[in-house]
Every structure is written in C-alpha cells, then in structure tokens.
Amino acid sequence: GWESFRVVETEDGRVAFHNSNHNRFIRLGNEALDTSGKKDLKALPSGWTWERFEVVQAVPGLAVGSVVALHCNGRFLQMAADLKLLGFQSSIAKLADDSDS
C-alpha cells in the first residue's frame, strides 16, 4: 500500500525504507523527511546517506512494542506539534543521556 515501507538492510548495518508503489526511499535531509528519486528496492546507491537510518533503542531491550528512534546524519526523526516530520539535530549519546534521567 501507499503507507507501507519495506525495510532494507544496508551494507553499513543501517536500514532504509522503500515504498514499492512510488519506487522511492524515504530520506531525512537537512530539515524534513521527504523522498528520494525513483530507485529500485535493491538499487540503493552507496553514496545516498540521507536514506540510511540507524535504529536506536530509546529503552534497552529491542522487542515488539519497544521504543526506538531513527537517526540519520546527526538528526533524529521527530514529529513536530504541527504533525510535520522533521529532523532534530542531536547525537545518539544525547538520547541515551536523556533516557537515563
């Protein structure tokens, strides 16, 4: 469906999210979430970094129902108050520090 994404494991241990209806990946650029150019599921170019996300455990113990964050190029994916999906600049270490408090 239009709202479905296939998780693609990348060679660097991250993941990418591909929508087959549009044949595009989601990406997190400098500010907001958008889409890549058309690209087949198995054809993610090695130079495309905005499409690669690190799944970060916000709470230890990854399992169904776990809380995770998606990190890409120094930014976390964030849903803002106006419901737009934005990139919030922060480090993975900072997330760990915040979850301890």
Side-chain angles (χ1 to χ4, degrees), residues 58-59 76 88-101:
V59 178
F76 283 100
F88 175 72
Q89 191 159 2
S90 187
S91 69
I92 293 173
K94 176 74 171 120
L95 178 69
D97 291 344
D98 289 348
S99 68
D100 289 341
S101 38

Side-chain angles (χ1 to χ4, degrees), residues 12-101:
D12 62 356
R14 297 177 187 213
V15 295
F17 301 94
H18 185 267
N19 179 280
S20 59
N21 284 329
H22 293 288
N23 203 29
R24 294 174 188 266
F25 290 91
I26 61 170
R27 66 183 185 175
L28 183 56
N30 291 329
E31 296 283 327
L33 192 69
D34 65 5
T35 62
S36 70
K38 289 192 176 220
K39 194 58 69 173
D40 288 337
L41 174 71
K42 296 184 179 185
L44 179 66
S46 61
W48 283 16
T49 60
W50 288 2
E51 293 77 8
R52 297 164 189 269
F53 293 85
E54 186 169 351
V55 178
V56 180
Q57 291 179 255
V59 178
L62 189 59
V64 174
S66 291
V67 176
V68 299
L70 298 176
H71 192 259
C72 176
N73 292 323
R75 296 179 178 281
F76 283 100
L77 181 60
Q78 173 189 49
M79 185 178 292
D82 61 4
L83 304 182
K84 290 183 182 174
L85 296 173
L86 305 173
F88 175 72
Q89 191 159 2
S90 187
S91 69
I92 293 173
K94 176 74 171 120
L95 178 69
D97 291 344
D98 289 348
S99 68
D100 289 341
S101 38

